[in-house]
Amino acid sequence: MVRPKKSLGQHFLKDQNIAMQIVDALEIDSRQSVVEIGPGTGVLTQYLLKRDIDLKVAEIDRDSVAHLKKHFPQLKKNLIEGDVLKMDWNGFAEKTFHVIGNFPYNISSQIFFKVLEHRDKVDQVVGMLQKEVAERIASDKGNKVYGILSVLLQAYYDIELLFIVPPDVFFPPPKVMSAVIRLKRNKTERLDCDEKRFKAVVKQGFQTRRKTLRNALKSLNLPPSITSMKLLDLRAEQLSVADFVFLTQQIEKSDG
Ligand code: SAH
């Protein structure tokens, strides 16, 4: 047994059926590369190892690593010890790879920002996370939890909230409900606007989400041709990915 550490967001899944369902949710062909984040004692790992895939696991906790080495010696060099946020994700696979895990909830948003950074390599993600964060990521415009991660991720991924998981299937039980989501890379290779600018506009827009975009984007010193646009009467949460792309295009044009 590994004694769970709160600081590492360790909540070990006890329910084998849910573990199987999570692993089955990965809809990929055989021989593809998969990285499991935070395998812990290996409840998902055991089922992943039964699939015909090229599996790597990334775990920060020494005790868990020792446990994994003992119970899954076949992992060998594919067991990477360390902080997944500090690892070189390009080194995970030569071509594309998929990500899976019962994520440490304290860093789940950061994991998704890493996914975004590596969107040209990360093809599919199946992750369990805090229900609120899962809902935020999967929500559509107009929803009050729709935010920065929703827009940025939905620009490149098709996202489904698969199922909700109650606290009592974990040891120790977390204080929150959990949910499993799946992200599949969409066909958009590049947005039709400067992608850095797009990200900046989205971030700034949501910084003060109660304000209209006209006010929220004040610090960008936009010219009157932009600030007079009807679209800026809206709040960031009312804009789709396409609306944000359009707005970014207009801002670029106004730069001359
Ligand atoms: N997959 C296991 C454990 C989930 S708990 C299960 O379902 O039972 C989250 C796991 O992520 C823990 O094993 C924890 O040690 C690991 N973890 C936490 N922070 C991490 C980090 N920065 N990098 C890699 N693993 C991390």
Side-chain angles (χ1 to χ4, degrees), residues 5 8 10 35-40 56-69 75-88 92:
K5 301 176 187 71
L8 294 177
Q10 289 182 339
V35 177
E36 186 192 356
I37 295 178
K56 287 192 170 68
V57 306
E59 173 59 60
I60 198 170
D61 176 39
R62 280 181 161 222
D63 296 340
S64 295
V65 167
H67 179 99
L68 291 164
K69 276 188 178 154
L75 281 171
K76 292 181 191 151
K77 283 197 161 50
N78 291 327
L79 169 51
I80 313 168
E81 183 171 356
D83 182 348
V84 72
L85 298 176
K86 293 191 179 136
M87 288 177 194
D88 169 23
F92 283 152

Side-chain angles (χ1 to χ4, degrees), residues 5 7-14 36-45 58-61 64 82-87 101-107 128 170:
K5 301 176 187 71
S7 62
L8 294 177
Q10 289 182 339
H11 296 280
F12 298 119
L13 186 59
K14 297 185 295 183
E36 186 192 356
I37 295 178
T41 53
V43 63
L44 300 181
T45 319
E59 173 59 60
I60 198 170
D61 176 39
S64 295
D83 182 348
V84 72
L85 298 176
K86 293 191 179 136
M87 288 177 194
N102 167 13
F103 296 149
Y105 294 179
N106 49 335
I107 59 163
M128 176 141 66
F170 298 91

Side-chain angles (χ1 to χ4, degrees), residues 109-255:
S109 293
Q110 290 168 75
I111 291 171
F112 282 104
F113 278 109
K114 270 302 229 202
V115 166
L116 270 173
E117 223 181 284
H118 297 276
R119 57 183 175 268
D120 288 340
K121 287 189 91 167
V122 180
D123 190 55
Q124 198 173 126
V125 182
V126 170
M128 176 141 66
L129 52 159
Q130 187 175 336
K131 179 171 157 263
E132 278 73 20
V133 182
E135 283 173 344
R136 175 184 297 279
I137 288 173
S139 76
D140 291 328
K141 70 165 187 179
N143 195 306
K144 67 175 188 291
V145 295
Y146 182 70
I148 296 170
L149 258 188
S150 340
V151 180
L152 298 181
L153 283 168
Q154 287 171 28
Y156 303 101
Y157 290 90
D158 296 332
I159 304 176
E160 302 160 85
L161 199 150
L162 300 178
F163 54 93
I164 306 289
V165 181
D168 62 316
V169 299
F170 298 91
F171 177 74
K175 289 202 178 70
V176 293
M177 294 290 279
S178 304
V180 176
I181 57 172
R182 179 170 56 210
L183 286 74
K184 288 180 179 168
R185 190 70 172 85
N186 66 22
K187 298 263 179 290
T188 306
E189 281 187 28
R190 298 282 170 263
L191 299 179
D192 286 331
C193 64
D194 182 83
E195 295 181 312
K196 280 211 178 104
R197 196 101 182 238
F198 171 82
K199 192 172 164 189
V201 171
V202 172
K203 280 193 165 172
Q204 189 60 40
F206 279 102
Q207 210 83 64
T208 48
R209 55 183 300 139
R210 300 260 153 267
K211 292 188 182 174
T212 64
L213 283 164
R214 189 168 297 108
N215 282 320
L217 300 179
K218 270 228 162 81
S219 66
L220 299 182
N221 287 318
L222 300 170
S225 63
I226 302 291
T227 53
S228 62
M229 282 168 63
K230 199 101 183 72
L231 191 64
L232 273 75
D233 290 341
L234 302 176
R235 296 189 306 274
E237 63 195 35
Q238 296 172 288
L239 263 60
S240 65
V241 170
D243 293 333
F244 272 111
V245 169
F246 175 75
L247 176 57
T248 309
Q249 285 170 342
Q250 299 310 308
I251 293 175
E252 277 171 5
K253 277 189 200 157
S254 75
D255 268 358

